[in-house]
Amino acid sequence: MQIKEILRLKPENQEVVVKGWVRTKRGQATLAFVHLNDGSTIHNIQAVIDADKVDAEQIKKITSGACIAVKGKLVESSGSGQSVEVLADSIEIYGLADETFPIQPKKHSLEFLREKAHLRFRTSTFGAVFRVRHFLSHAVHQFFHEQGFFYLHTPIITASDAEGAGEMFRVTNFDLNALPKNEDGSVNFKEDFFGKETSLTVSGQLEGELGALALSKIYTFGPTFRAENSNTTRHLAEFWMIEPEMAFFELKENMDLAEQFVKYVIGEAVKHCADDLAFLDQRFDNENKAKPQNERSEQGLLEKLKFVVDNDFARISYTEAIDILLNSKPHKKKKFKFPVEWGVDLQSEHERYLVEKHFQKPVIITDYPKAIKAFYMKQNDDDKTVAAMDVLFPGIGEIIGGSQREDNLEKLKTRIAEVGIAEESVWWYLETRKYGSAPHAGFGLGFERLVQFVTGMGNIRDVIAFPRTPGNVEF
Ligand code: 4AD
Ligand code: MG
């Protein structure tokens, strides 16, 4: 039985076996109080180990970090804070730890724990984060399954740059010290494994569209790679993205689905992760109090989650967003670092102003200038904007990016030529517009940004097991 289950039992002196890692040990070799955790729950179980029953030499060896099994009787706890405890009859030591074990029972910084990522799961914080992450990913599949979507596994190795931003990691099996060359000295990729240049995918969308234009509603949920050199608390070089794609959806339905989807998964986490979120809520409070006044969140973590689930998101166009920013105090007082004018890409300072100061709730911004968005977005009749939508969240910024897709073959070809993509390289994508084209739309949710929002963790490196960022690929 896992500790989570044992903690729910009625204590009747029954025999139980508890297996887990020692968080703390108090007392002496003649009578020790050991707190064990097996990761099934945020709560530890206390084992009372008495030298009457267990060899004192054995008891002495147990330290924080050791892994043991305790066989004994489950009784009502005399101590406060827990309902049951185990009175040991015998123990088995699986693995000892010594005083060099890095996760001692004291507060460690997240930076320190990042360097001990192989062991940080054994802290309360990371246990909670990864359990919440699990429930969120389960809720993602549940939501789409219930809505009649099919889970499509799109490829990870690709020859196309879906977002057109050129931030791709190359895939090759060339000997880099002996590259086959063309006559003009350039690398001859015809001799590479796939016979052309290949990379890790930046998005499953293009293949997702092919699926949606037959299965009607699909979603992908897979690893995504971006070689952007941004060392921020919101960017990873390897992250997980969820990309639904729906035939017969236009921008409005796309926004409705995105809003319904995030509310659903957050609601599920609140429902199924009560203990972990209570812990993270407390943690969030402590962190918040330590921040300078002007950076503090007015709401607690749980309060924030409930607020998002219970309130409509604001919906405005890019043009309206620019007007709000132009009329804002920080703009007038020249507090923004980046310029505000129609046509610029919104920077995170602008997004944060809109979400955290102006609307004080999630905001969906639509109809961006076409020049700053990807080639596949549906061109609006004004010839200037595209049917794009970004969902912005408090404390996070952009959590979702999506759009209605260009379904007109001629318009798509023109746009592809404008941005410099060779038609031959996306012939298969274009053929879905040649044969039975249909209005369709979709979006991409950055899974780690969602986990950040729900857990209140400030740095994206702390919500993925082994973060990949520029210069970091340990573990
Ligand atoms: O806005 P993006 O680039 O959109 C796409 O990739 C589209 N193909 C999605 C679609 O329409 N199917 O990325 C989508 C989301 C962002 O809103 C953000 O949450 C997340 O992916 N994201 C990242 N998360 C972590 N690290 C990075 N480097 C990220 N880049 C994007
Ligand atoms: Mg985006």
Side-chain angles (χ1 to χ4, degrees):
M1 256 191 285
Q2 292 195 293
I3 290 175
K4 178 172 128 184
E5 298 164 273
I6 295 176
L7 286 173
R8 282 199 209 114
L9 295 176
K10 198 164 157 240
E12 295 172 319
N13 263 320
Q14 68 270 50
E15 178 160 290
V16 290
V17 181
V18 184
K19 299 176 183 179
W21 289 267
V22 175
R23 287 288 170 86
T24 58
K25 183 177 103 177
R26 291 179 300 112
Q28 318 84 31
T30 48
L31 181 66
F33 300 91
V34 174
H35 283 189
L36 286 178
N37 189 284
D38 67 356
S40 61
T41 161
I42 187 95
H43 302 296
N44 303 328
I45 193 163
Q46 172 159 285
V48 182
I49 310 178
D50 192 325
D52 281 352
K53 297 256 172 67
V54 177
D55 179 14
E57 280 309 304
Q58 293 276 85
I59 303 179
K60 225 159 114 190
K61 286 188 198 155
I62 302 172
T63 58
S64 291
C67 185
I68 64 173
V70 177
K71 194 191 244 184
K73 307 269 180 318
L74 191 71
V75 300
E76 202 175 309
S77 178
S78 42
S80 62
Q82 44 212 346
S83 52
V84 297
E85 62 189 25
V86 182
L87 300 181
D89 289 321
S90 64
I91 66 170
E92 184 179 346
I93 296 176
Y94 290 128
L96 290 173
D98 61 17
E99 69 290 346
T100 62
F101 178 59
I103 320 277
Q104 293 296 328
K106 62 168 193 175
K107 195 169 156 50
H108 294 289
S109 75
L110 294 173
E111 290 77 12
F112 171 80
L113 292 172
R114 240 168 260 152
E115 288 169 9
K116 310 286 177 208
H118 55 309
L119 296 170
R120 68 178 178 171
F121 299 110
R122 297 196 200 170
T123 62
S124 299
T125 298
F126 286 94
V129 165
F130 288 104
R131 281 185 297 270
V132 171
R133 185 177 166 119
H134 162 78
F135 279 99
L136 281 169
S137 80
H138 183 73
V140 167
H141 290 297
Q142 191 165 297
F143 175 83
F144 286 119
H145 177 73
E146 283 171 5
Q147 299 271 331
F149 283 68
F150 301 109
Y151 181 23
L152 188 69
H153 297 95
T154 49
I156 289 172
I157 299 176
T158 174
S160 58
D161 180 357
E163 296 306 301
E167 296 166 333
M168 307 187 79
F169 288 104
R170 185 180 295 285
V171 172
T172 179
N173 71 339
F174 272 156
D175 173 353
L176 296 185
N177 292 311
L179 291 170
K181 297 279 173 67
N182 295 311
E183 273 174 13
D184 64 0
S186 61
V187 174
N188 181 4
F189 285 102
K190 288 205 186 78
E191 288 192 26
D192 204 352
F193 190 90
F194 296 102
K196 52 165 85 172
E197 283 190 73
T198 46
S199 306
L200 295 176
T201 188
V202 294
S203 159
Q205 179 196 322
L206 300 191
E207 291 88 352
E209 285 186 51
L210 313 181
L213 290 169
L215 297 163
S216 284
K217 295 200 282 188
I218 64 92
Y219 70 105
T220 72
F221 186 171
T224 312
F225 308 87
R226 299 212 178 161
E228 50 190 331
N229 204 354
S230 23
N231 247 314
T232 78
T233 56
R234 306 276 176 266
H235 288 90
L236 291 165
E238 176 180 301
F239 63 101
W240 288 68
M241 185 156 48
I242 295 140
E243 295 184 277
E245 192 69 36
M246 299 75 66
F248 319 120
F249 272 49
E250 298 191 354
L251 191 63
K252 162 83 168 63
E253 289 85 48
N254 203 22
M255 284 193 275
D256 291 346
L257 183 82
E259 183 167 342
Q260 191 193 352
F261 168 55
V262 280
K263 285 178 172 173
Y264 177 88
V265 293
I266 293 172
E268 286 295 293
V270 170
K271 211 192 289 173
H272 297 290
C273 305
D275 291 356
D276 287 322
L277 287 176
F279 172 85
L280 291 167
D281 184 63
Q282 189 60 53
R283 187 184 176 281
F284 185 84
D285 255 7
N286 297 340
E287 299 266 298
N288 205 29
K289 279 187 204 126
K291 282 186 183 160
Q293 188 82 37
N294 61 340
E295 285 173 32
R296 270 183 219 166
S297 162
E298 279 173 30
Q299 292 174 318
L301 179 62
L302 281 170
E303 216 178 338
K304 231 168 41 145
L305 300 182
K306 295 211 172 91
F307 181 85
V308 167
V309 172
D310 294 339
N311 288 280
D312 288 342
F313 296 1
R315 298 183 183 195
I316 54 166
S317 69
Y318 168 90
T319 304
E320 288 167 310
I322 291 291
D323 284 343
I324 293 170
L325 291 169
L326 286 173
N327 286 312
S328 71
K329 253 199 210 145
H331 177 71
K332 289 182 175 157
K333 291 189 170 167
K334 301 206 178 347
K335 286 273 162 61
F336 287 135
K337 228 171 101 196
F338 293 91
V340 180
E341 60 179 310
W342 201 96
V344 301
D345 208 355
L346 297 180
Q347 300 294 325
S348 101
E349 57 178 355
H350 307 137
E351 296 179 342
R352 297 191 72 150
Y353 173 81
L354 291 167
V355 173
E356 287 156 33
K357 295 280 182 300
H358 190 83
F359 288 104
Q360 300 190 325
K361 58 161 138 176
V363 180
I364 309 182
I365 302 183
T366 61
D367 304 295
Y368 284 76
K370 77 173 174 188
I372 59 171
K373 288 291 185 190
F375 74 91
Y376 52 69
M377 296 194 181
K378 182 156 187 70
Q379 296 162 46
N380 288 330
D381 291 338
D382 63 10
D383 230 23
K384 290 188 333 205
T385 61
V386 286
M389 58 170 227
D390 276 5
V391 181
L392 313 181
F393 259 42
I396 302 288
E398 181 190 331
I399 195 162
I400 287 179
S403 75
Q404 189 174 337
R405 317 307 188 189
E406 184 53 77
D407 51 18
N408 178 294
L409 182 61
E410 290 317 311
K411 282 189 179 168
L412 189 55
K413 279 186 174 173
T414 309
R415 189 70 192 135
I416 280 175
E418 276 170 14
V419 301
I421 298 173
E423 249 180 56
E424 316 83 77
S425 70
V426 287
W427 63 271
W428 40 274
Y429 186 73
L430 294 172
E431 281 203 354
T432 53
R433 275 62 170 174
K434 185 172 164 192
Y435 305 120
S437 189
H440 63 289
F443 60 82
L445 169 81
F447 187 56
E448 284 75 19
R449 293 192 187 173
L450 173 72
V451 182
Q452 266 193 286
F453 182 74
V454 174
T455 59
M457 299 301 282
N459 195 315
I460 198 164
R461 294 167 174 83
D462 298 327
V463 297
I464 188 163
F466 301 107
R468 271 78 178 98
T469 53
N472 293 309
V473 72
E474 200 65 56
F475 312 108

